[in-house]
Amino acid sequence: MKVVTFGELMLRLEPQGYYRFVQAGSFDATFGGAEANVSVSLANFGIDSVYVTKLPEHEIGQAAVNALRRYGVDTSYIVRGGDRIGIYFNEKGASQRPSKCIYDRAHSSIAESSNADFDWNGIFKDSSWFHITGVTPALGGSLPAICEEACSIAKMKGLTVSCDLNYRSKLWTREKAQEVMKKICKYVDVCIANEEDARDVFGIEADSTDIEHGKLNKKGYESVAKKLSEKCGFKKVAITLRTSVNANQNKWAALLYDAETGKAVYSPEYDMMIVDRLGGGDSFSAALIYSMLNSKTAQETVNFAAAAGCLKHSIEGDWNMVSVSEVERLSSGDISGRIQR
């Protein structure tokens, strides 16, 4: 089983602890990005994981490649060229102060890539799954066309195609997102979204839900999943359900909808004290892919995926440093967090 992901790998710069940008005298440097996060999680789960991107040939680009290799990700299809790596600055929120992300990714190597950079026929050889997110086409340039071509070839070759809608308001408008994503989504088998993505990308939202005030009508998202499936032809729709009490405390659950049966299953809901919020949805996506590749039942799949996403919130950095057995322990009901010795 080999899974290919495609997107932008970025340098993540962050003040230590809960310092604000304006207070920081130094920044911790790591790497991350939606699809890379999925790729690392899959490698940690023992899946052959291939990550495709374009990075500059200088030492920072090489450091990014090395970071992926450390966790066993196949980087052999990463294209080298261009002038810069995308950067994002992250400031951790606390209590009622939200986290903040500032992007510095214009004119990055991948943002200025072309269709000729990627040999999808070669990349997809012996692969069974292709995963992208809405973040990558949002970078503009040729990327919407590149993503559409990649999904088309993956579908033609019989791969399962998954897409996390992952709307980013700082990268594009809702109108542009809908225009581009409806072209890409016609090739997608498994759609992944959070509470807001379906509304922001396709104008579909749950009744009696007020995300800003922490009120989710979880049952209403069954209707959202059904409408998404009907609109785009998705076989399955997974939606993460986050209730924000404050920046440090969230409730987390998920549903998985099967278009063939018309039924949805729900995970347990977790009360989380957050160490690092970023990458939770990507960890969910990776665990969902892992579960489906291993033919888990719908209930087992959503339970495992929600547990993986929950655990990511306890880990610093973009990448989910957990094993299958750790996720299975949580998904089977061990929520105590008691020391293991």
Side-chain angles (χ1 to χ4, degrees), residues 148-203:
E148 185 177 356
E149 179 185 47
C151 289
S152 173
I153 294 173
K155 192 75 170 177
M156 181 181 66
K157 288 184 167 294
L159 280 70
T160 299
V161 179
S162 60
C163 178
D164 186 341
L165 295 181
N166 247 352
Y167 177 73
R168 296 289 184 267
S169 62
K170 291 184 177 181
L171 296 179
W172 58 357
T173 64
R174 292 177 179 178
E175 292 75 21
K176 186 63 176 178
Q178 179 164 355
E179 175 192 336
V180 171
M181 293 307 294
K182 70 179 181 181
K183 295 177 183 177
I184 291 171
C185 283
K186 66 184 179 182
Y187 301 107
V188 171
D189 302 293
V190 180
C191 174
I192 302 159
N194 66 21
E195 325 81 33
E196 300 170 274
D197 289 333
R199 178 195 69 191
D200 291 334
V201 178
F202 290 116

Side-chain angles (χ1 to χ4, degrees), residues 228-247:
L228 280 171
S229 181
E230 290 172 345
K231 185 178 184 69
C232 300
F234 304 131
K235 296 177 182 177
K236 297 184 187 297
V237 177
I239 300 178
T240 56
L241 303 168
R242 182 191 299 274
T243 303
S244 293
V245 179
N246 56 50

Side-chain angles (χ1 to χ4, degrees), residues 317-335:
D318 268 49
W319 295 343
N320 198 16
M321 299 290 98
V322 297
S323 64
V324 169
S325 62
E326 288 175 314
V327 179
E328 287 178 339
R329 184 181 296 120
L330 178 58
S331 67
S332 66
D334 184 354
I335 62 172

Side-chain angles (χ1 to χ4, degrees), residues 11 77 79 184 245 271:
L11 176 65
Y77 292 102
V79 177
I184 291 171
V245 179
D271 286 310

